[in-house]
Amino acid sequence: GTYQMGLLKSGMGIGGMLLEGIGDTIRVSLAADPEKEVEAGYNILRAVGFPVAGPEVITCPTCGRTRVALESVVKRVKEETRNIRSPLKVAVMGCAVNGPGEAADADIGIACGEGKGVLFVKGKVICALPEERLADELIERIHQASLLQDNGENQQKH
């Protein structure tokens, strides 16, 4: 099928089998760039609870309180952290009213507001920032957390 329909069918079919404990290898076929197939496979594995390298970016569905172009912020965060291998859960939320609480299980995140927002870690607000600095600060902190995780793993190996 098309990319979107193929993605939905693959997610449902493969995800269902993995949740039942059936199989140990997956192959996603889409009418799209092969890189999209690999990305879909990782996302299916992550969605059913398998540990997958790299940040998982979660976001809210947006509502009337959202005052920022959330989709573009999410896209930027994903692009600028795509080479990170640490399995971090990163939240990009549309409002500071509910964002930190809704994404309390995220390792790190931002919740945007009108002209400003907050950076939070495990649901606890760390600081307020102007809107134009939110994504930069989040990306910088993701890179720092990744380095800390990588150094911790290297020390455990020695």
Side-chain angles (χ1 to χ4, degrees):
T2 63
Y3 171 75
Q4 184 177 4
M5 188 53 78
L7 186 60
L8 289 168
K9 288 178 179 181
S10 294
M12 292 179 66
I14 295 169
M17 288 190 296
L18 290 171
L19 286 170
E20 293 293 323
I22 300 169
D24 61 2
T25 304
I26 68 170
R27 170 67 162 71
V28 178
S29 296
L30 302 171
D33 184 319
E35 288 183 17
K36 293 285 189 186
E37 294 176 343
V38 174
E39 180 182 343
Y42 276 115
N43 288 335
I44 291 168
L45 289 170
R46 183 171 283 166
V48 296
F50 285 85
V52 176
E56 173 186 8
V57 179
I58 61 170
T59 187
C60 62
T62 71
C63 68
R65 287 188 296 268
T66 304
R67 299 286 184 256
V68 66
L70 198 63
E71 191 174 345
S72 65
V73 176
V74 170
K75 183 179 178 183
R76 179 169 171 228
V77 170
K78 288 175 99 172
E79 285 174 1
E80 294 194 31
T81 61
R82 71 179 174 275
N83 293 324
I84 290 178
R85 303 302 351 132
S86 298
L88 297 168
K89 186 178 256 188
V90 177
V92 180
M93 308 301 283
C95 82
V97 174
N98 294 327
E102 288 178 7
D105 64 330
D107 296 305
I108 190 166
I110 55 173
C112 305
E114 191 159 359
K116 61 185 176 191
V118 296
L119 175 81
F120 60 91
V121 174
K122 301 283 187 187
K124 303 266 188 223
V125 174
I126 302 301
C127 62
L129 294 164
E131 181 181 326
E132 61 273 6
R133 290 217 31 244
L134 281 170
D136 291 335
E137 186 70 24
L138 177 62
I139 291 163
E140 183 178 321
R141 300 260 185 144
I142 293 167
H143 284 282
Q144 290 172 355
S146 174
L147 288 173
L148 288 174
Q149 280 188 359
D150 291 348
N151 287 337
E153 288 175 11
N154 288 336
Q155 288 178 1
Q156 289 176 356
K157 289 178 185 177
H158 296 298

